[in-house]
């Protein structure tokens, strides 16, 4: 469907397999790494990686350190997976430049939906024109059409509409 | 001190004033009575004889008096005076009242008059008595007043001298005695100040037979009581602090433990949830994948179950709810039993287990729990087996102790981890531990069991492997 390459980093083989299975079903390409060092090696080898799913607690190099390394060279979207639920840890992740934060245990379906959303938001898969139920949004031209007729929207309204369309099917919090 | 000096001074002042005011009248009274007696004697003498000059000499000699007795014509008959004519002239003068010299009458009776007079010719003041005797003759007795005043003056100066002397001595005595009283009090004051500052080395060490001594002894008692009480309080305080620290530590440990447990459980729960969702959503669409998904769910559930069981065991051991039952048992047979029970796992790991021994060894301990220790060591050895894939179990007798060691070939444990491997949930290699289903609890259980036995357990790194050991008290065979 969209042939994006996703790097899944987790020291737990079964977790990697589960995430991989779900992502492949969604049409993504998946490469795996068992620790932070391996993840960095793979990341710098392969320039096509569109998103990194990063576990925090890993041997050799933990998720935070790996993220720091990646952020020095790349603004690739990163979603962190962790069993740590401390707000402090979460904040640390965001300070280091994480795009999403998912706490274990999680639903793989939600994980996949988040991956979709992050990719769309970052513009990797984001088509310039979104079309849902007769509503057509041209993001690059900032124009909205309903049944091919242009509609005037304020900037906020436009942003909100785009956000809703991009997160279609996901329960959103305020 | 001042009060005492004042008292002494006052006493002397009083004496001085008394002398000055009271002495003359008392002296006068005394003289008057002497004069009265002389009059009586003269009357008696004149009755019996006309010449009694010897008798009046003896009368006058005791009291420094001049006596003149005349007949009724004022002609001197008997006299102790050198100038009896002059005296008789005075007597006549008094009688006739012509005598113009000043005099002061002190007492007047029918027969005599007592007076003081000033003799201008001699320039002296006299005390005089004159009158008529029963036989009609006249008499005059006089004594100089100067004597009295002189005596009074001498008495005054004597009093002053004695007074000054006594005063000086009194001051000296007061200073000495007050020193004796106040010195210990000054000492006690200094002592009480030190005691108030909780200086328990301060001790009264003077004599204990005086009042201040008793006070000092009481000070000492008070000080030691205070010291005792304060030291008791301090001990209680330290205990309280220790308790507090212990409580804080326990709380911290509990929090850490809960954090570890929940973290430990999160991975299997996440896997079970995820794989179940995968099955439901048909992510695994072929039978093989479905089989794999189901197996993962069952396996993760089993791991959780094993972990909970181990935690319960550890908890019971640590809180002493599962006490050690000491008995004599055959250690060699126990180890052989464990090895044969784990035969399947040994084959799976392609391990060679050797247990050389030349005679059976018996030991004191809780057989069931020691079996758990050996099982733990052996399964750890299998899980970390590498290289030549050899495991060697030995029992070595060292005096009263018997040391059991389990050696496996493989990678040595990193130095930093060596001391921490006995901690709950501590894993040297997290991924590997999870792979074989460990939770980092096994060695904590071993440690708890060996602590319960009051024996050592430990680990030694070798270049080609690792050996874990534990000690037990050796015993005679049953």
């Amino acid at each position: 469907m969209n042939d994006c390459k996703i790097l899944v980093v987790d020291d737990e083989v079964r977790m990697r397999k589960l995430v991989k299975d779900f992502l492949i079903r969604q049409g993504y390409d998946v490469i795996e790494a068992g620790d932070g060092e391996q993840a960095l090696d793979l990341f710098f080898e392969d320039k096509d990686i569109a998103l990194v799913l990063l576990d925090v607690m890993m041997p050799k190099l933990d998720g935070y350190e790996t993220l720091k390394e990646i952020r020095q060279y790349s603004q690739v979207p990163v979603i962190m997976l962790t069993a740590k639920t401390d707000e402090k840890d979460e904040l640390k992740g965001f300070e280091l430049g994480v795009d999403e934060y998912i706490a274990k245990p999680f639903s793989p379906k939600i994980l996949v939906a988040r991956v979709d959303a992050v990719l769309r938001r970052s513009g990797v898969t984001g088509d310039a024109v979104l079309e849902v139920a007769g509503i057509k949004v041209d993001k690059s031209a900032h124009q909205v059409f309903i049944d091919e007729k242009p509609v005037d929207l304020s900037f906020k309204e436009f942003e909100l509409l785009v956000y809703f369309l991009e997160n279609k099917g996901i329960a959103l919090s305020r | 001190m001042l009060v005492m000096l004042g008292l002494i001074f006052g006493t002397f002042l009083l004496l001085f004033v008394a002398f000055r005011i009271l002495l003359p009248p008392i002296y006068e009274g005394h003289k008057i009575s002497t004069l009265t007696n002389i009059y009586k004697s003269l009357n008696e003498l004149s009755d019996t004889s006309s010449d009694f000059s010897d008798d009046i000499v003896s009368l006058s000699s005791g009291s420094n008096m001049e006596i003149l007795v005349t007949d009724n014509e004022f002609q001197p008959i008997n006299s102790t005076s050198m100038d009896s004519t002059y005296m008789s002239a005075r007597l006549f003068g008094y009688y006739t009242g012509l005598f113009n010299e000043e005099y002061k009458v002190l007492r007047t009776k029918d027969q005599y008059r007592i007076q003081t007079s000033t003799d201008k010719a001699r320039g002296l003041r006299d005390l005089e008595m004159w009158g008529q005797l029963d036989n009609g003759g006249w008499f005059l007795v006089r004594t100089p007043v100067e004597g009295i005043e002189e005596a009074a003056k001498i008495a005054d100066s004597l009093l002053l001298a004695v007074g000054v002397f006594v005063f000086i001595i009194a001051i000296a005595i007061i200073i000495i005695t007050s020193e004796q009283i106040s010195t210990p009090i000054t000492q006690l004051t200094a002592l009480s100040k030190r005691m108030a500052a909780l200086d328990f080395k301060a001790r009264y060490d003077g004599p204990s037979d005086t009042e201040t001594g008793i006070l000092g002894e009481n000070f000492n008692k008070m000080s030691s009581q205070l010291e005792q009480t304060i030291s008791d309080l301090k001990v209680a305080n330290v205990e309280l602090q220790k308790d507090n620290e212990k409580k804080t530590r326990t709380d911290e440990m509990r929090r850490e433990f809960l954090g570890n447990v929940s973290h430990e459980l999160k991975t299997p729960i996440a896997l079970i949830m995820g794989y179940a969702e995968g099955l439901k959503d048909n992510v695994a669409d072929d039978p093989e994948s479905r089989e794999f998904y189901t197996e993962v769910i069952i396996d993760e559930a089993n791991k959780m179950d094993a972990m909970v069981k181990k935690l319960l065991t550890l908890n019971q051991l640590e809180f002493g709810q599962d006490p050690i039952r000491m008995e004599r048992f055959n250690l060699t047979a126990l180890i052989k039993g464990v090895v044969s029970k784990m035969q399947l796992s040994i084959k799976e790991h392609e391990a060679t287990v050797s247990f050389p021994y030349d005679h059976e060894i018996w030991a004191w301990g809780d057989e069931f729990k020691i079996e758990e220790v050996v099982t733990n060591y052996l399964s750890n050895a299998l899980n970390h087996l590498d290289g030549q894939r050899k495991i060697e179990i030995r029992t070595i007798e060292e005096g009263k102790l018997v040391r059991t060691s389990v050696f496996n070939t493989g990678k040595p444990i990193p130095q930093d981890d060596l001391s921490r491997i006995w901690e709950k949930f501590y894993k040297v290699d997290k991924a590997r531990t999870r792979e074989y289903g460990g939770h980092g609890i096994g060695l904590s259980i071993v440690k708890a069991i060996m602590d319960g036995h009051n024996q050592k357990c430990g680990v030694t790194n070798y270049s080609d492997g690792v050996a874990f050991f534990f000690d037990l008290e050796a015993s005679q065979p049953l």
Side-chain angles (χ1 to χ4, degrees), chain B residues 272-290:
Chain B
I272 291 171
M273 274 172 64
Y275 276 79
E277 207 172 307
L279 277 180
K280 194 182 158 201
D281 282 14
N282 277 324
V283 172
D285 34 18
D286 55 304
E288 222 169 280
S289 290
R290 267 203 293 279

Side-chain angles (χ1 to χ4, degrees), chain B residues 8-60:
Chain B
I8 289 168
F9 188 73
T11 309
F12 277 99
L13 200 69
L14 206 68
L15 263 175
F16 192 72
V17 169
F19 263 54
R20 270 290 157 97
I21 295 171
L22 297 176
L23 199 59
I26 289 168
Y27 184 78
E28 237 171 51
H30 176 69
K31 282 288 175 190
I32 286 167
S33 73
T34 311
L35 287 173
T36 318
N37 285 338
I38 286 171
Y39 161 73
K40 279 177 191 161
S41 306
L42 286 178
N43 240 352
E44 276 164 28
L45 287 168
S46 62
D47 273 353
T48 46
S49 65
S50 56
D51 186 5
F52 43 83
S53 50
D54 287 345
D55 296 303
I56 58 168
V57 166
S58 71
L59 263 179
S60 71

